[in-house]
Amino acid sequence: MFRLLPRLCALLLVAGLGLQAQAQAQPAAPAAVPVGTAFAQRKAIDQALDFVGRVEAVGRVEVRARVVGFLDAVQFKEGEPIKEGAPLYRIEPDLFEAAVKQAEGALERTRAAELLAAIQLQRAQDLLDKSSGTVVARDQARAARDQAKGAVMGDEASLQTARINLGYTQIFAPISGQIGRTSVTKGNVVGPDSGALTTIVSQDPIYVTFPVSQREFLRYQQGGARPDRSKIGVRIRFQDGSEYGQIGRVDFVNISVDRATDTVVVRATMPNPAGALRDGQLVRVNLQAGQPEQKVVVPQSALIADQGGVYVFVVEDSRAKIRRVKPEPGGSGSDAVIAEGLSGGEVVIVDGLQRVRPGILVQATPASETASRI
């Protein structure tokens, strides 16, 4: 028995060394990947549709010269707000003032001729009454008086035209709004053929027009009743994704369908007190109608797209798992509205997605806390 002890100790030593080698060869368990998470929440979401719209000024005027002359002055600052009736341009008035005086002189001559013709008619009538004159002389005098009266009317019209043309030498703003750049400067000859000298667009309120497809248009007309425009709210977003703070209302729906695009043009009136909306601007239009519906929403940052569609990573038993989802178009601000794939309450990963793989261990931390540490 004592002879077997050394051999037994050797075997135990070899076994221990083997177990130690196996322990050293076996890889350590992977550490959990820290991620930021958020809950999939159920919220009341307005029934809305998104369209691409164009901002249009309610009033848009191209300012033009109505008489030919040298431009004497430009009386406004380009790009500045302008009030109706403010002076914009002045054309040299000298020739037009001379034309007014010439017309006044011609009118004085014809009025004098009318007065003389009236006196001669009265004399011819008096002579006829005394049997000293003839009917022919009286009729000739009456015709001369009528001719003089017609000449007076013609010269009065010429004088009025000359005064109107003189008034056209001073060009005023026809509407209030914001004025654009001037296409001419002092010293140039301008006239009706010069084209637009500048453009004025009104600012508040302002229109937003957008095409609505026949399918969406018919959806709003389901049940045979016409939609109440006063209950349709219109919100818009700019190209950078920011939302405009004012709410507009639909005020016009075109009476015909565009045959080329199969769409109906709809127009909304938007308040624009600060001038944030500009004529011609491209915006996203969000049309809201009907009662809010309960929808599942998640942050937009949780969505990942691949060839199979859109998915999110959810945390289940401390592991990341893929969940295929179907988001609704448009979303709700910074959140995405999920039509299928989530029921609400799931923990979705929103931060650290670049390190996440299906099935790996994750250390979930609310995204708000993760952001506060940065």
Side-chain angles (χ1 to χ4, degrees):
M1 180 175 179
F2 291 104
R3 292 178 182 179
L4 294 176
L5 286 175
R7 184 177 295 179
L8 181 60
C9 290
L11 289 174
L12 289 175
L13 179 61
V14 171
L17 291 174
L19 291 173
Q20 184 178 2
Q22 287 183 1
Q24 290 177 353
Q26 186 175 7
V33 175
V35 293
T37 60
F39 284 101
Q41 300 179 354
R42 296 190 69 87
K43 292 183 179 179
I45 302 298
D46 292 329
Q47 298 182 41
L49 294 172
D50 270 358
F51 305 95
V52 176
R54 185 77 66 177
V55 178
E56 295 180 0
V58 174
R60 179 185 178 89
V61 178
E62 292 183 343
V63 179
R64 298 174 183 266
R66 303 180 71 172
V67 293
V68 178
F70 283 94
L71 192 63
D72 191 42
V74 178
Q75 300 170 290
F76 65 91
K77 272 185 134 181
E78 296 173 312
E80 293 293 323
I82 204 81
K83 293 291 185 182
E84 181 178 352
L88 303 179
Y89 297 96
R90 186 177 67 242
I91 298 172
E92 286 185 347
D94 299 349
L95 290 176
F96 299 95
E97 290 173 350
V100 170
K101 291 184 179 298
Q102 186 177 10
E104 288 174 344
L107 180 59
E108 287 298 323
R109 288 194 300 271
T110 52
R111 282 176 176 172
E114 181 190 18
L115 179 60
L116 178 59
I119 292 172
Q120 289 176 344
L121 174 60
Q122 185 61 45
R123 287 176 181 172
Q125 185 65 47
D126 291 344
L127 290 173
L128 182 61
D129 293 341
K130 296 177 181 179
S131 300
S132 299
T134 63
V135 174
V136 173
R138 192 273 314 273
D139 292 344
Q140 288 176 342
R142 180 178 292 171
R145 192 277 312 271
D146 291 343
Q147 287 177 352
K149 188 180 290 186
V152 169
M153 293 175 63
D155 285 345
E156 286 176 343
S158 297
L159 176 59
Q160 185 178 3
T161 300
R163 286 173 174 167
I164 290 173
N165 287 336
L166 176 60
Y168 287 157
T169 61
Q170 182 67 66
I171 303 175
F172 299 95
I175 62 171
S176 296
Q178 195 163 15
I179 195 164
R181 61 177 298 185
T182 179
S183 62
V184 292
T185 55
K186 178 181 177 181
N188 287 282
V189 176
V190 296
D193 297 332
S194 301
L197 306 182
T198 188
T199 303
I200 302 175
V201 292
S202 61
Q203 294 294 296
D204 188 25
I206 203 162
Y207 289 145
V208 177
T209 60
F210 50 96
V212 177
S213 68
Q214 268 286 81
R215 182 184 62 183
E216 301 296 348
F217 190 75
L218 293 174
R219 174 180 163 188
Y220 274 105
Q221 289 185 321
Q222 286 178 354
R226 298 184 63 180
D228 187 356
R229 296 177 187 171
S230 63
K231 296 181 179 179
I232 302 177
V234 179
R235 289 187 176 274
I236 59 177
R237 294 195 306 274
F238 298 110
Q239 292 297 309
D240 62 354
S242 61
E243 187 172 339
Y244 183 58
Q246 302 284 344
I247 300 177
R249 297 293 173 186
V250 173
D251 72 335
F252 170 76
V253 178
N254 202 6
I255 60 174
S256 60
V257 178
D258 189 325
R259 299 187 180 186
T261 60
D262 197 31
T263 57
V264 179
V265 174
V266 179
R267 186 183 72 193
T269 301
M270 300 290 300
N272 191 33
L277 300 178
R278 291 181 174 269
D279 180 56
Q281 191 174 10
L282 194 67
V283 294
R284 297 288 302 183
V285 180
N286 185 263
L287 202 64
Q288 300 173 337
Q291 296 298 322
E293 293 183 357
Q294 290 291 325
K295 301 279 189 178
V296 178
V297 297
V298 298
Q300 293 276 4
S301 57
L303 301 183
I304 306 172
D306 62 7
Q307 294 181 349
V310 180
Y311 66 92
V312 298
F313 277 111
V314 299
V315 178
E316 294 181 1
D317 300 327
S318 299
R319 294 187 178 273
K321 296 185 178 180
I322 287 179
R323 187 74 61 84
R324 291 286 173 179
V325 296
K326 182 179 179 181
E328 292 186 359
S332 176
S334 61
D335 293 331
V337 180
I338 305 301
E340 298 177 6
L342 297 175
S343 58
E346 295 90 346
V347 179
V348 297
I349 300 175
V350 295
D351 290 334
L353 288 168
Q354 66 274 12
R355 300 187 300 271
V356 177
R357 298 292 181 270
I360 68 169
L361 284 171
V362 294
Q363 181 182 353
T365 304
S368 58
E369 296 182 11
T370 305
S372 64
R373 295 173 189 165
I374 299 174

